[in-house]
PDB file of all heavy atoms in Angstrom:
ATOM      1  N   ASN A   1      55.236 -39.200 -44.281  1.00 93.00           N
ATOM      2  CA  ASN A   1      55.874 -37.916 -43.979  1.00 93.00           C
ATOM      3  C   ASN A   1      56.515 -37.982 -42.600  1.00 93.00           C
ATOM      4  O   ASN A   1      55.850 -37.766 -41.580  1.00 93.00           O
ATOM      5  CB  ASN A   1      54.845 -36.792 -44.046  1.00 93.00           C
ATOM      6  CG  ASN A   1      55.483 -35.430 -43.805  1.00 93.00           C
ATOM      7  OD1 ASN A   1      56.706 -35.285 -43.895  1.00 93.00           O
ATOM      8  ND2 ASN A   1      54.658 -34.444 -43.493  1.00 93.00           N
ATOM      9  N   ILE A   2      57.788 -38.271 -42.546  1.00 92.00           N
ATOM     10  CA  ILE A   2      58.445 -38.471 -41.250  1.00 92.00           C
ATOM     11  C   ILE A   2      58.644 -37.155 -40.498  1.00 92.00           C
ATOM     12  O   ILE A   2      59.090 -37.166 -39.350  1.00 92.00           O
ATOM     13  CB  ILE A   2      59.784 -39.216 -41.408  1.00 92.00           C
ATOM     14  CG1 ILE A   2      60.824 -38.359 -42.129  1.00 92.00           C
ATOM     15  CG2 ILE A   2      59.586 -40.537 -42.133  1.00 92.00           C
ATOM     16  CD1 ILE A   2      62.220 -38.947 -42.073  1.00 92.00           C
ATOM     17  N   LEU A   3      58.325 -36.017 -41.126  1.00 92.00           N
ATOM     18  CA  LEU A   3      58.351 -34.752 -40.398  1.00 92.00           C
ATOM     19  C   LEU A   3      57.245 -34.705 -39.351  1.00 92.00           C
ATOM     20  O   LEU A   3      57.366 -33.998 -38.340  1.00 92.00           O
ATOM     21  CB  LEU A   3      58.199 -33.579 -41.371  1.00 92.00           C
ATOM     22  CG  LEU A   3      59.335 -33.369 -42.381  1.00 92.00           C
ATOM     23  CD1 LEU A   3      58.974 -32.258 -43.349  1.00 92.00           C
ATOM     24  CD2 LEU A   3      60.654 -33.067 -41.677  1.00 92.00           C
ATOM     25  N   LEU A   4      56.167 -35.471 -39.606  1.00 92.00           N
ATOM     26  CA  LEU A   4      55.026 -35.472 -38.693  1.00 92.00           C
ATOM     27  C   LEU A   4      54.764 -36.833 -38.063  1.00 92.00           C
ATOM     28  O   LEU A   4      54.131 -36.918 -37.007  1.00 92.00           O
ATOM     29  CB  LEU A   4      53.761 -35.015 -39.448  1.00 92.00           C
ATOM     30  CG  LEU A   4      53.813 -33.629 -40.107  1.00 92.00           C
ATOM     31  CD1 LEU A   4      52.533 -33.373 -40.884  1.00 92.00           C
ATOM     32  CD2 LEU A   4      54.033 -32.547 -39.055  1.00 92.00           C
ATOM     33  N   ASP A   5      55.222 -37.902 -38.702  1.00 89.00           N
ATOM     34  CA  ASP A   5      54.926 -39.256 -38.228  1.00 89.00           C
ATOM     35  C   ASP A   5      56.230 -40.058 -38.130  1.00 89.00           C
ATOM     36  O   ASP A   5      56.919 -40.256 -39.124  1.00 89.00           O
ATOM     37  CB  ASP A   5      53.956 -39.935 -39.202  1.00 89.00           C
ATOM     38  CG  ASP A   5      53.528 -41.317 -38.736  1.00 89.00           C
ATOM     39  OD1 ASP A   5      53.975 -41.741 -37.651  1.00 89.00           O
ATOM     40  OD2 ASP A   5      52.772 -41.974 -39.471  1.00 89.00           O
ATOM     41  N   SER A   6      56.560 -40.506 -36.924  1.00 89.00           N
ATOM     42  CA  SER A   6      57.826 -41.223 -36.700  1.00 89.00           C
ATOM     43  C   SER A   6      57.668 -42.736 -36.697  1.00 89.00           C
ATOM     44  O   SER A   6      58.622 -43.453 -36.405  1.00 89.00           O
ATOM     45  CB  SER A   6      58.436 -40.779 -35.372  1.00 89.00           C
ATOM     46  OG  SER A   6      57.565 -41.091 -34.296  1.00 89.00           O
ATOM     47  N   SER A   7      56.484 -43.243 -37.020  1.00 92.00           N
ATOM     48  CA  SER A   7      56.253 -44.687 -36.947  1.00 92.00           C
ATOM     49  C   SER A   7      57.137 -45.443 -37.935  1.00 92.00           C
ATOM     50  O   SER A   7      57.661 -46.525 -37.625  1.00 92.00           O
ATOM     51  CB  SER A   7      54.780 -45.006 -37.204  1.00 92.00           C
ATOM     52  OG  SER A   7      54.385 -44.533 -38.484  1.00 92.00           O
ATOM     53  N   LEU A   8      57.323 -44.908 -39.131  1.00 93.00           N
ATOM     54  CA  LEU A   8      58.160 -45.584 -40.131  1.00 93.00           C
ATOM     55  C   LEU A   8      59.604 -45.659 -39.656  1.00 93.00           C
ATOM     56  O   LEU A   8      60.245 -46.711 -39.787  1.00 93.00           O
ATOM     57  CB  LEU A   8      58.075 -44.859 -41.471  1.00 93.00           C
ATOM     58  CG  LEU A   8      58.997 -45.400 -42.569  1.00 93.00           C
ATOM     59  CD1 LEU A   8      58.628 -46.822 -42.938  1.00 93.00           C
ATOM     60  CD2 LEU A   8      58.969 -44.497 -43.802  1.00 93.00           C
ATOM     61  N   THR A   9      60.137 -44.572 -39.135  1.00 92.00           N
ATOM     62  CA  THR A   9      61.522 -44.577 -38.675  1.00 92.00           C
ATOM     63  C   THR A   9      61.719 -45.571 -37.538  1.00 92.00           C
ATOM     64  O   THR A   9      62.779 -46.204 -37.439  1.00 92.00           O
ATOM     65  CB  THR A   9      61.948 -43.172 -38.225  1.00 92.00           C
ATOM     66  OG1 THR A   9      61.065 -42.716 -37.199  1.00 92.00           O
ATOM     67  CG2 THR A   9      61.904 -42.192 -39.386  1.00 92.00           C
ATOM     68  N   ALA A  10      60.704 -45.722 -36.690  1.00 93.00           N
ATOM     69  CA  ALA A  10      60.800 -46.699 -35.597  1.00 93.00           C
ATOM     70  C   ALA A  10      60.837 -48.120 -36.140  1.00 93.00           C
ATOM     71  O   ALA A  10      61.599 -48.968 -35.653  1.00 93.00           O
ATOM     72  CB  ALA A  10      59.626 -46.523 -34.642  1.00 93.00           C
ATOM     73  N   GLN A  11      60.020 -48.402 -37.151  1.00 92.00           N
ATOM     74  CA  GLN A  11      60.003 -49.739 -37.746  1.00 92.00           C
ATOM     75  C   GLN A  11      61.326 -50.061 -38.433  1.00 92.00           C
ATOM     76  O   GLN A  11      61.848 -51.179 -38.305  1.00 92.00           O
ATOM     77  CB  GLN A  11      58.844 -49.843 -38.748  1.00 92.00           C
ATOM     78  CG  GLN A  11      57.469 -49.848 -38.104  1.00 92.00           C
ATOM     79  CD  GLN A  11      56.369 -49.804 -39.143  1.00 92.00           C
ATOM     80  OE1 GLN A  11      56.252 -48.857 -39.918  1.00 92.00           O
ATOM     81  NE2 GLN A  11      55.548 -50.847 -39.164  1.00 92.00           N
ATOM     82  N   MET A  12      61.880 -49.113 -39.167  1.00 93.00           N
ATOM     83  CA  MET A  12      63.148 -49.342 -39.842  1.00 93.00           C
ATOM     84  C   MET A  12      64.301 -49.433 -38.835  1.00 93.00           C
ATOM     85  O   MET A  12      65.246 -50.197 -39.030  1.00 93.00           O
ATOM     86  CB  MET A  12      63.420 -48.224 -40.853  1.00 93.00           C
ATOM     87  CG  MET A  12      62.403 -48.141 -41.980  1.00 93.00           C
ATOM     88  SD  MET A  12      62.398 -49.584 -43.077  1.00 93.00           S
ATOM     89  CE  MET A  12      63.881 -49.293 -44.035  1.00 93.00           C
ATOM     90  N   SER A  13      64.200 -48.671 -37.761  1.00 91.00           N
ATOM     91  CA  SER A  13      65.245 -48.707 -36.735  1.00 91.00           C
ATOM     92  C   SER A  13      65.346 -50.075 -36.085  1.00 91.00           C
ATOM     93  O   SER A  13      66.420 -50.483 -35.633  1.00 91.00           O
ATOM     94  CB  SER A  13      64.985 -47.638 -35.670  1.00 91.00           C
ATOM     95  OG  SER A  13      65.054 -46.343 -36.235  1.00 91.00           O
ATOM     96  N   SER A  14      64.231 -50.794 -36.028  1.00 89.00           N
ATOM     97  CA  SER A  14      64.252 -52.136 -35.442  1.00 89.00           C
ATOM     98  C   SER A  14      65.129 -53.086 -36.244  1.00 89.00           C
ATOM     99  O   SER A  14      65.560 -54.122 -35.739  1.00 89.00           O
ATOM    100  CB  SER A  14      62.827 -52.686 -35.347  1.00 89.00           C
ATOM    101  OG  SER A  14      62.285 -52.911 -36.653  1.00 89.00           O
ATOM    102  N   LEU A  15      65.422 -52.732 -37.505  1.00 89.00           N
ATOM    103  CA  LEU A  15      66.308 -53.536 -38.356  1.00 89.00           C
ATOM    104  C   LEU A  15      67.723 -52.976 -38.363  1.00 89.00           C
ATOM    105  O   LEU A  15      68.579 -53.459 -39.115  1.00 89.00           O
ATOM    106  CB  LEU A  15      65.774 -53.572 -39.791  1.00 89.00           C
ATOM    107  CG  LEU A  15      64.348 -54.089 -39.994  1.00 89.00           C
ATOM    108  CD1 LEU A  15      63.988 -54.063 -41.469  1.00 89.00           C
ATOM    109  CD2 LEU A  15      64.193 -55.482 -39.431  1.00 89.00           C
ATOM    110  N   GLY A  16      67.956 -51.949 -37.583  1.00 89.00           N
ATOM    111  CA  GLY A  16      69.266 -51.315 -37.570  1.00 89.00           C
ATOM    112  C   GLY A  16      69.470 -50.336 -38.695  1.00 89.00           C
ATOM    113  O   GLY A  16      70.608 -49.987 -39.019  1.00 89.00           O
ATOM    114  N   LEU A  17      68.368 -49.863 -39.317  1.00 93.00           N
ATOM    115  CA  LEU A  17      68.444 -48.914 -40.422  1.00 93.00           C
ATOM    116  C   LEU A  17      67.893 -47.566 -39.977  1.00 93.00           C
ATOM    117  O   LEU A  17      66.747 -47.482 -39.515  1.00 93.00           O
ATOM    118  CB  LEU A  17      67.662 -49.436 -41.632  1.00 93.00           C
ATOM    119  CG  LEU A  17      68.126 -50.776 -42.199  1.00 93.00           C
ATOM    120  CD1 LEU A  17      67.203 -51.226 -43.329  1.00 93.00           C
ATOM    121  CD2 LEU A  17      69.567 -50.686 -42.705  1.00 93.00           C
ATOM    122  N   LEU A  18      68.678 -46.516 -40.130  1.00 93.00           N
ATOM    123  CA  LEU A  18      68.296 -45.183 -39.672  1.00 93.00           C
ATOM    124  C   LEU A  18      68.143 -44.246 -40.859  1.00 93.00           C
ATOM    125  O   LEU A  18      68.917 -44.328 -41.833  1.00 93.00           O
ATOM    126  CB  LEU A  18      69.359 -44.636 -38.722  1.00 93.00           C
ATOM    127  CG  LEU A  18      69.623 -45.465 -37.455  1.00 93.00           C
ATOM    128  CD1 LEU A  18      70.772 -44.858 -36.677  1.00 93.00           C
ATOM    129  CD2 LEU A  18      68.369 -45.568 -36.604  1.00 93.00           C
ATOM    130  N   PRO A  19      67.168 -43.326 -40.815  1.00 94.00           N
ATOM    131  CA  PRO A  19      67.015 -42.367 -41.906  1.00 94.00           C
ATOM    132  C   PRO A  19      68.126 -41.326 -41.849  1.00 94.00           C
ATOM    133  O   PRO A  19      68.476 -40.846 -40.769  1.00 94.00           O
ATOM    134  CB  PRO A  19      65.645 -41.747 -41.628  1.00 94.00           C
ATOM    135  CG  PRO A  19      65.486 -41.852 -40.144  1.00 94.00           C
ATOM    136  CD  PRO A  19      66.170 -43.119 -39.749  1.00 94.00           C
ATOM    137  N   PHE A  20      68.669 -40.985 -43.004  1.00 93.00           N
ATOM    138  CA  PHE A  20      69.719 -39.968 -43.001  1.00 93.00           C
ATOM    139  C   PHE A  20      69.141 -38.575 -43.228  1.00 93.00           C
ATOM    140  O   PHE A  20      69.530 -37.627 -42.552  1.00 93.00           O
ATOM    141  CB  PHE A  20      70.773 -40.267 -44.067  1.00 93.00           C
ATOM    142  CG  PHE A  20      71.949 -39.348 -43.962  1.00 93.00           C
ATOM    143  CD1 PHE A  20      72.967 -39.634 -43.070  1.00 93.00           C
ATOM    144  CD2 PHE A  20      72.034 -38.194 -44.714  1.00 93.00           C
ATOM    145  CE1 PHE A  20      74.058 -38.774 -42.936  1.00 93.00           C
ATOM    146  CE2 PHE A  20      73.114 -37.324 -44.592  1.00 93.00           C
ATOM    147  CZ  PHE A  20      74.127 -37.614 -43.702  1.00 93.00           C
ATOM    148  N   ASN A  21      68.241 -38.434 -44.199  1.00 91.00           N
ATOM    149  CA  ASN A  21      67.637 -37.126 -44.450  1.00 91.00           C
ATOM    150  C   ASN A  21      66.348 -37.016 -43.643  1.00 91.00           C
ATOM    151  O   ASN A  21      65.373 -37.720 -43.900  1.00 91.00           O
ATOM    152  CB  ASN A  21      67.378 -36.922 -45.941  1.00 91.00           C
ATOM    153  CG  ASN A  21      66.583 -38.042 -46.578  1.00 91.00           C
ATOM    154  OD1 ASN A  21      66.845 -39.217 -46.336  1.00 91.00           O
ATOM    155  ND2 ASN A  21      65.624 -37.681 -47.417  1.00 91.00           N
ATOM    156  N   THR A  22      66.336 -36.151 -42.643  1.00 90.00           N
ATOM    157  CA  THR A  22      65.208 -36.083 -41.704  1.00 90.00           C
ATOM    158  C   THR A  22      64.642 -34.685 -41.508  1.00 90.00           C
ATOM    159  O   THR A  22      63.724 -34.507 -40.708  1.00 90.00           O
ATOM    160  CB  THR A  22      65.654 -36.611 -40.327  1.00 90.00           C
ATOM    161  OG1 THR A  22      66.763 -35.826 -39.854  1.00 90.00           O
ATOM    162  CG2 THR A  22      66.071 -38.066 -40.398  1.00 90.00           C
ATOM    163  N   SER A  23      65.149 -33.693 -42.229  1.00 89.00           N
ATOM    164  CA  SER A  23      64.722 -32.322 -41.926  1.00 89.00           C
ATOM    165  C   SER A  23      64.088 -31.557 -43.073  1.00 89.00           C
ATOM    166  O   SER A  23      63.214 -30.717 -42.849  1.00 89.00           O
ATOM    167  CB  SER A  23      65.927 -31.524 -41.398  1.00 89.00           C
ATOM    168  OG  SER A  23      66.976 -31.529 -42.357  1.00 89.00           O
ATOM    169  N   MET A  24      64.502 -31.847 -44.310  1.00 91.00           N
ATOM    170  CA  MET A  24      64.022 -31.055 -45.448  1.00 91.00           C
ATOM    171  C   MET A  24      62.970 -31.823 -46.248  1.00 91.00           C
ATOM    172  O   MET A  24      63.167 -33.006 -46.548  1.00 91.00           O
ATOM    173  CB  MET A  24      65.192 -30.689 -46.367  1.00 91.00           C
ATOM    174  CG  MET A  24      66.230 -29.797 -45.734  1.00 91.00           C
ATOM    175  SD  MET A  24      67.607 -29.470 -46.858  1.00 91.00           S
ATOM    176  CE  MET A  24      66.733 -28.652 -48.207  1.00 91.00           C
ATOM    177  N   PRO A  25      61.856 -31.195 -46.596  1.00 93.00           N
ATOM    178  CA  PRO A  25      60.835 -31.866 -47.415  1.00 93.00           C
ATOM    179  C   PRO A  25      61.379 -32.201 -48.798  1.00 93.00           C
ATOM    180  O   PRO A  25      62.267 -31.529 -49.321  1.00 93.00           O
ATOM    181  CB  PRO A  25      59.705 -30.840 -47.488  1.00 93.00           C
ATOM    182  CG  PRO A  25      60.350 -29.528 -47.205  1.00 93.00           C
ATOM    183  CD  PRO A  25      61.481 -29.811 -46.266  1.00 93.00           C
ATOM    184  N   THR A  26      60.827 -33.252 -49.400  1.00 92.00           N
ATOM    185  CA  THR A  26      61.253 -33.670 -50.737  1.00 92.00           C
ATOM    186  C   THR A  26      60.114 -33.684 -51.753  1.00 92.00           C
ATOM    187  O   THR A  26      60.351 -33.884 -52.941  1.00 92.00           O
ATOM    188  CB  THR A  26      61.855 -35.092 -50.687  1.00 92.00           C
ATOM    189  OG1 THR A  26      60.861 -36.003 -50.191  1.00 92.00           O
ATOM    190  CG2 THR A  26      63.073 -35.137 -49.783  1.00 92.00           C
ATOM    191  N   HIS A  27      58.874 -33.493 -51.269  1.00 92.00           N
ATOM    192  CA  HIS A  27      57.713 -33.498 -52.166  1.00 92.00           C
ATOM    193  C   HIS A  27      56.931 -32.216 -51.955  1.00 92.00           C
ATOM    194  O   HIS A  27      56.660 -31.808 -50.815  1.00 92.00           O
ATOM    195  CB  HIS A  27      56.824 -34.708 -51.901  1.00 92.00           C
ATOM    196  CG  HIS A  27      55.569 -34.718 -52.713  1.00 92.00           C
ATOM    197  ND1 HIS A  27      54.333 -34.387 -52.206  1.00 92.00           N
ATOM    198  CD2 HIS A  27      55.371 -35.007 -54.032  1.00 92.00           C
ATOM    199  CE1 HIS A  27      53.432 -34.483 -53.160  1.00 92.00           C
ATOM    200  NE2 HIS A  27      54.035 -34.854 -54.272  1.00 92.00           N
ATOM    201  N   PHE A  28      56.536 -31.593 -53.064  1.00 89.00           N
ATOM    202  CA  PHE A  28      55.903 -30.284 -52.995  1.00 89.00           C
ATOM    203  C   PHE A  28      54.622 -30.263 -53.828  1.00 89.00           C
ATOM    204  O   PHE A  28      54.619 -30.687 -54.982  1.00 89.00           O
ATOM    205  CB  PHE A  28      56.864 -29.203 -53.500  1.00 89.00           C
ATOM    206  CG  PHE A  28      58.191 -29.220 -52.807  1.00 89.00           C
ATOM    207  CD1 PHE A  28      59.238 -29.995 -53.309  1.00 89.00           C
ATOM    208  CD2 PHE A  28      58.400 -28.488 -51.661  1.00 89.00           C
ATOM    209  CE1 PHE A  28      60.466 -30.029 -52.674  1.00 89.00           C
ATOM    210  CE2 PHE A  28      59.628 -28.512 -51.005  1.00 89.00           C
ATOM    211  CZ  PHE A  28      60.663 -29.284 -51.517  1.00 89.00           C
ATOM    212  N   SER A  29      53.552 -29.789 -53.206  1.00 86.00           N
ATOM    213  CA  SER A  29      52.288 -29.582 -53.914  1.00 86.00           C
ATOM    214  C   SER A  29      51.847 -28.144 -53.677  1.00 86.00           C
ATOM    215  O   SER A  29      52.528 -27.381 -52.980  1.00 86.00           O
ATOM    216  CB  SER A  29      51.222 -30.563 -53.406  1.00 86.00           C
ATOM    217  OG  SER A  29      50.877 -30.269 -52.065  1.00 86.00           O
ATOM    218  N   SER A  30      50.718 -27.766 -54.238  1.00 81.00           N
ATOM    219  CA  SER A  30      50.251 -26.390 -54.080  1.00 81.00           C
ATOM    220  C   SER A  30      49.861 -26.061 -52.652  1.00 81.00           C
ATOM    221  O   SER A  30      49.773 -24.897 -52.271  1.00 81.00           O
ATOM    222  CB  SER A  30      49.054 -26.149 -55.012  1.00 81.00           C
ATOM    223  OG  SER A  30      48.024 -27.089 -54.744  1.00 81.00           O
ATOM    224  N   SER A  31      49.649 -27.098 -51.817  1.00 83.00           N
ATOM    225  CA  SER A  31      49.173 -26.847 -50.456  1.00 83.00           C
ATOM    226  C   SER A  31      50.065 -27.423 -49.361  1.00 83.00           C
ATOM    227  O   SER A  31      49.822 -27.171 -48.179  1.00 83.00           O
ATOM    228  CB  SER A  31      47.765 -27.435 -50.293  1.00 83.00           C
ATOM    229  OG  SER A  31      47.770 -28.832 -50.562  1.00 83.00           O
ATOM    230  N   SER A  32      51.102 -28.201 -49.714  1.00 86.00           N
ATOM    231  CA  SER A  32      51.903 -28.825 -48.656  1.00 86.00           C
ATOM    232  C   SER A  32      53.315 -29.126 -49.132  1.00 86.00           C
ATOM    233  O   SER A  32      53.596 -29.163 -50.334  1.00 86.00           O
ATOM    234  CB  SER A  32      51.244 -30.124 -48.183  1.00 86.00           C
ATOM    235  OG  SER A  32      51.238 -31.080 -49.240  1.00 86.00           O
ATOM    236  N   SER A  33      54.206 -29.344 -48.129  1.00 91.00           N
ATOM    237  CA  SER A  33      55.577 -29.787 -48.374  1.00 91.00           C
ATOM    238  C   SER A  33      55.846 -30.949 -47.426  1.00 91.00           C
ATOM    239  O   SER A  33      55.758 -30.784 -46.207  1.00 91.00           O
ATOM    240  CB  SER A  33      56.581 -28.661 -48.119  1.00 91.00           C
ATOM    241  OG  SER A  33      56.318 -27.559 -48.965  1.00 91.00           O
ATOM    242  N   THR A  34      56.178 -32.118 -47.955  1.00 93.00           N
ATOM    243  CA  THR A  34      56.327 -33.320 -47.135  1.00 93.00           C
ATOM    244  C   THR A  34      57.643 -34.018 -47.431  1.00 93.00           C
ATOM    245  O   THR A  34      58.216 -33.873 -48.520  1.00 93.00           O
ATOM    246  CB  THR A  34      55.166 -34.303 -47.394  1.00 93.00           C
ATOM    247  OG1 THR A  34      55.055 -34.520 -48.814  1.00 93.00           O
ATOM    248  CG2 THR A  34      53.860 -33.747 -46.872  1.00 93.00           C
TER     249      THR A  34
END
């Protein structure tokens, strides 16, 4: 969940790859949106 954890984006950035969708959740459960 890159809304709360930026470690993945940092690892991908080291390869020159940046996340494009960074603001809206894409997974929904009865208790969370990630």
Side-chain angles (χ1 to χ4, degrees):
N1 183 17
I2 68 169
L3 295 175
L4 302 176
D5 184 1
S6 61
S7 59
L8 175 64
T9 57
Q11 290 174 298
M12 297 295 285
S13 297
S14 67
L15 303 180
L17 300 176
L18 300 175
F20 188 84
N21 53 316
T22 58
S23 58
M24 296 178 61
T26 60
H27 176 257
F28 306 90
S29 67
S30 57
S31 58
S32 65
S33 300
T34 52

